[in-house]
Amino acid sequence: MKMKNPKLNPDDAIVVFADLQTGIVDLPGLTVDPKEMLRFAAGLARLAEILDMPTIALTIPKRGGGTPVVVPEITERRSKFKHVQRTRPDSFENPDIVAAIEESGRKTLIVCGVATEIVVQWLVLSGIANGYKVYVAVDACAGLSPRSEDAALRRFEQAGAVITSVHALSGEFAGDMTKQPGWDVIGVCYQLIAGETPSAQSTK
C-alpha cells in the first residue's frame, strides 16, 4: 500500500508576512524578543526566496500618515513580494489581499506576524473558511500577552490549522541535502540553530 506524503508541498504554498513593519514589531510587551522573532521571519523569507514561493507582505497604515515600511529581514531576503496594505483586522475582508492570494493559484498559506491574536488569527480562521490549508510559523509570530496568544493558538488548532516552525519547514522542504536547492534550504536551519540571522545569499 502506497503511503501518502504528509509533507507540505512548497509548490502549492504562498507565504504571508503580517504587519512585520516598523512601529509594530517593536511594540512593548510582546510575548517574544522582537529581534528573535525577526530572525526566524528572515529565515522564512529566505526559504521563500530559495523555493520561489509567492510572498505577500501585509502592513497597516501608520498613525499620522506616511508609508509603512516592511522590515529589512524580509525585503533583503525576498527579491519578489507584494506589499499590500490592509484596512480591516480580517485580511480576507480586504479585496486587494484576497486578489493577491488568489492570483498565486496556490491553496496553502504559510503565515506569521504580529500580533498573533489579531492579524494572524484572522488570516488563519478566514483562510481555512475560504478553503485554504493554513500553516502557522509560530517562531516568526509574536503575541500581545502569553495568555491571549495561547488562546489564539488553541483556536487555530481547533479550526484545523497546522502549528509549525521555520526549523520544521526547513526540514520539510529540504529534500536531497547534497544538492541545490536542498543545500540552501537546510542551510537556513543550520544558521538558525547557530543563533544567526539567515543570510540573503547561498550558504554553499
Side-chain angles (χ1 to χ4, degrees), residues 3 12 16 30 45 55 61 65 76 79 82 94 96 120 141 146 150-151 162 175 178 185-186 198-199:
M3 299 291 289
D12 187 49
V16 184
L30 293 177
T55 303
E76 292 176 2
S79 59
K82 291 190 175 182
N94 292 257
D96 289 346
V120 176
C141 293
D150 180 65
V162 177
T178 65
V185 169
I186 204 65
S199 65

Side-chain angles (χ1 to χ4, degrees), residues 66-120:
T67 302
V69 178
V70 179
V71 295
E73 285 80 3
I74 296 169
T75 61
E76 292 176 2
R77 287 162 184 81
R78 185 67 181 109
S79 59
K80 296 184 294 183
F81 67 92
K82 291 190 175 182
H83 178 190
V84 187
Q85 286 201 54
R86 66 183 185 88
T87 56
R88 293 172 175 266
D90 185 346
S91 295
F92 278 84
E93 293 179 354
N94 292 257
D96 289 346
I97 298 172
V98 173
I101 292 173
E102 289 180 345
E103 186 179 291
S104 74
R106 302 190 175 197
K107 296 300 291 182
T108 301
L109 306 180
I110 302 172
V111 304
C112 68
V114 180
T116 310
E117 304 92 325
I118 304 174
V119 62
V120 176

Side-chain angles (χ1 to χ4, degrees), residues 8-147:
L8 190 166
N9 182 0
D11 292 335
D12 187 49
I14 178 171
V15 177
V16 184
F17 294 101
D19 298 358
L20 294 185
Q21 65 189 83
T22 55
I24 299 295
V25 297
D26 48 5
L27 287 171
L30 293 177
T31 53
V32 297
D33 180 348
K35 291 182 180 178
E36 188 71 357
M37 182 266 296
L38 288 173
R39 193 166 69 85
F40 285 97
L44 182 55
R46 180 66 183 139
L47 291 178
E49 179 73 9
I50 295 166
L51 298 168
D52 198 23
M53 292 184 285
T55 303
I56 300 174
L58 305 181
T59 57
I60 55 174
K62 293 174 64 177
R63 289 187 177 182
T67 302
V69 178
V70 179
V71 295
E73 285 80 3
I74 296 169
T75 61
E76 292 176 2
R77 287 162 184 81
R78 185 67 181 109
S79 59
K80 296 184 294 183
F81 67 92
K82 291 190 175 182
H83 178 190
V84 187
Q85 286 201 54
R86 66 183 185 88
T87 56
R88 293 172 175 266
D90 185 346
S91 295
F92 278 84
E93 293 179 354
N94 292 257
D96 289 346
I97 298 172
V98 173
I101 292 173
E102 289 180 345
E103 186 179 291
S104 74
R106 302 190 175 197
K107 296 300 291 182
T108 301
L109 306 180
I110 302 172
V111 304
C112 68
V114 180
T116 310
E117 304 92 325
I118 304 174
V119 62
V120 176
Q121 176 161 252
W122 289 108
L123 274 167
V124 171
L125 298 180
S126 288
I128 291 170
N130 281 276
Y132 292 89
K133 296 178 183 177
V134 182
Y135 287 70
V136 182
V138 71
D139 43 3
C141 293
L144 302 174
S145 80
R147 290 182 69 191

